[in-house]
Amino acid sequence: MSYTVEDLADDAMRVLDGSGIERTHLAGMSLGGLLSQLIALKQPHRVSTLTLVASERLAEDDPAMPSIDRSIL
C-alpha cells in the first residue's frame, strides 16, 4: 500500500478536524503549497484564504506563465 500526496492533504485536514477547526487560512511552500491546493480543491468550504510560496500549480503547463526568475535561485 502506498502513501500518496492526497493522503498527506487528507491527514492535514484530519489534524484540523481533531482540533475542532472548521475553516482555516492555508499557507504552503513547495510541497506544502501543493498540499494546500489539494485541500482547497477538495474542501473549498474549509479554506478562508490560500497563500502559495514557491509552489507548482495544479494545472497544465501554460507557456504564457513566466518561469522563476534566475536571480531568486
Side-chain angles (χ1 to χ4, degrees), residues 21-57:
I21 299 170
E22 293 183 24
R23 190 167 175 86
T24 190
H25 300 278
L26 289 177
M29 180 174 182
S30 193
L31 176 58
L34 178 69
L35 297 175
S36 296
Q37 290 176 78
L38 285 171
I39 292 167
L41 288 169
K42 291 173 78 172
Q43 299 190 41
H45 62 284
R46 307 269 320 257
V47 179
S48 295
T49 61
L50 179 62
T51 303
L52 305 174
V53 180
S55 178
E56 291 290 325
R57 64 191 177 281

